[in-house]
């Protein structure tokens, strides 16, 4: 920055002002070229990010297709084993019931011991309103405010 730039009265008239304007426009052009270069770099980075994203999307779609095939295989296998289990259950249900009845364990009915004070049976809980339990009636005097 020069002395003429700091003192506006020294800038001059006519031709000198045109030179100043040209200098200002050159500086502005330089700023715009710098911004354009930075924008180009940003666009290049965004294109790279887009390429990486497309690659990851392709990988994810491939994984989804593989998992879908695995689910289909497992569903078929599950259905086969379910049908097999139902067939065996139908075939051997009579024998399983006979074994269960033949090998049953009879347990006599149990009575809860109430030897300790913490195990004493409790009585029914009184759920009446308090004045009924104590034997009083609520005050219903309309002239009373409290």
């Amino acid at each position: 920055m020069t002395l003429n730039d700091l003192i506006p009265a020294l800038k001059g008239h006519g031709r000198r002002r045109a030179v100043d304007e040209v200098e200002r426009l050159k500086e502005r052009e330089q700023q715009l070229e710098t911004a354009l270069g930075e924008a180009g770099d940003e666009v290049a980075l965004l294109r790279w990010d887009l390429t990486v994203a497309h690659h990851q999307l392709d990988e994810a779609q491939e994984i989804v297709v593989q998992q879908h095939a695995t689910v289909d295989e497992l569903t078929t296998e599950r259905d086969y084993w379910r049908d097999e289990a139902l067939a065996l259950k139908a075939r051997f249900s009579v024998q399983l019931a006979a074994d269960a009845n033949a090998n049953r364990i009879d347990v006599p009915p149990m009575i809860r011991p109430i030897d300790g004070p913490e195990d004493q049976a409790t009585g029914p809980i009184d759920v009446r309103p308090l004045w009924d339990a104590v034997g009083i009636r609520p005050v219903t005097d309309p002239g009373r405010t409290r």
Side-chain angles (χ1 to χ4, degrees):
M1 208 174 245
T2 65
L3 184 59
N4 289 340
D5 293 333
L6 296 174
I7 304 173
L10 297 178
K11 279 195 169 186
H13 305 290
R15 183 170 168 237
R16 178 71 183 145
R17 287 186 171 221
V19 170
D20 290 341
E21 185 65 19
V22 168
E23 285 297 319
R24 189 185 68 75
L25 290 175
K26 284 182 180 179
E27 288 175 8
R28 180 69 179 142
E29 179 185 15
Q30 185 65 28
Q31 291 171 352
L32 291 174
E33 285 178 358
T34 303
L36 181 62
E38 291 172 356
D41 292 344
E42 189 65 28
V43 167
L45 289 173
L46 290 173
R47 283 187 179 156
W48 173 253
D49 289 345
L50 182 62
T51 303
V52 169
H54 281 298
H55 180 69
Q56 290 173 343
L57 177 64
D58 292 341
E59 288 177 354
Q61 288 174 341
E62 184 177 328
I63 290 170
V64 167
V65 168
Q66 291 171 353
Q67 288 178 345
H68 192 3
T70 302
V71 166
D72 289 344
E73 288 176 20
L74 290 173
T75 301
T76 304
E77 187 176 350
R78 180 208 59 205
D79 291 344
Y80 168 77
W81 287 114
R82 181 197 61 218
D83 295 342
E84 187 73 19
L86 291 173
L88 289 173
K89 185 176 178 182
R91 182 175 175 187
F92 295 109
S93 62
V94 174
Q95 291 172 340
L96 290 172
D99 280 348
N101 286 332
N103 298 321
R104 73 175 185 263
I105 300 173
D106 293 326
V107 178
M110 301 297 288
I111 298 175
R112 181 174 174 212
I114 53 171
D115 298 339
E118 68 277 357
D119 288 329
Q120 293 297 317
T122 60
I125 297 172
D126 191 5
V127 292
R128 296 178 296 166
L130 185 59
W131 47 77
D132 289 345
V134 177
I136 61 172
R137 298 300 318 152
V139 177
T140 58
D141 182 11
R144 186 173 176 155
T145 59
R146 212 169 208 208

